[in-house]
Each structure stands twice: as C-alpha cells, then as structure tokens.
Amino acid sequence: YSIAMIAAIVEYWAEAGLVKALPASLAALRHLVLVIGTLLGLAGWGLRTAALFTAQSNFTHLVAYRKQATHVLVTQGVYRLCRH
C-alpha cells in the first residue's frame, strides 16, 4: 500500500504541473476522465466491500496454496456474478 500511495502522490503533483500547460479545449475532457475514473474507483471499492461481507471468514489477503478443511466455496452474493 505504501508504494501505491507514493505513486498516487507523485502522479497528482505531476498532473497538477502538466494541467497548466494543457489547452483550454482539453479541460472538459480532463473533467470527464476524472469523473469516469472516480466512478470506476468507487465501483471497485464497492465490489471489494461486497466480496468481503459475502465471503466473511473465507476472505483473506493471503494467497492460499492448499485448501483448508474449513473452506467453503461461496456462490451467493457478489460471487454469483463474478468469481476469480
């Protein structure tokens, strides 16, 4: 998470410096991209949160290489629509 945060800060300041050099005609396009990006980010956050609450104890940040005896395949909720 630290690397992602540092990259986001660098990206923000780089964009802030470049925006001043853009022509005014690109301002509307930049705003549209910002809105679409924000909506996609919020949708991804919502999907992840729904997955967390649907999977409950089966949700973990650790990659499992062996199936635990207590593991149950979750097929309801958000996992009914999207599995990985």
Side-chain angles (χ1 to χ4, degrees):
Y1 293 120
S2 297
I3 294 172
M5 185 63 175
I6 292 168
I9 291 169
V10 168
E11 179 185 10
Y12 171 80
W13 286 110
E15 183 181 346
L18 293 173
V19 166
K20 295 174 186 171
L22 290 176
S25 61
L26 291 179
L29 178 62
R30 181 179 176 275
H31 181 71
L32 178 66
V33 169
L34 177 68
V35 169
I36 291 172
T38 300
L39 292 175
L40 285 173
L42 289 172
W45 173 75
L47 183 65
R48 182 188 180 280
T49 302
L52 179 105
F53 284 109
T54 301
Q56 296 175 357
S57 64
N58 287 322
F59 189 91
T60 180
H61 295 286
L62 303 175
V63 176
Y65 57 93
R66 289 198 177 122
K67 181 181 171 188
Q68 295 180 354
T70 60
H71 179 76
V72 177
L73 181 62
V74 179
T75 58
Q76 74 273 5
V78 71
Y79 289 103
R80 183 175 35 138
L81 305 171
C82 178
R83 282 188 222 159
H84 56 84

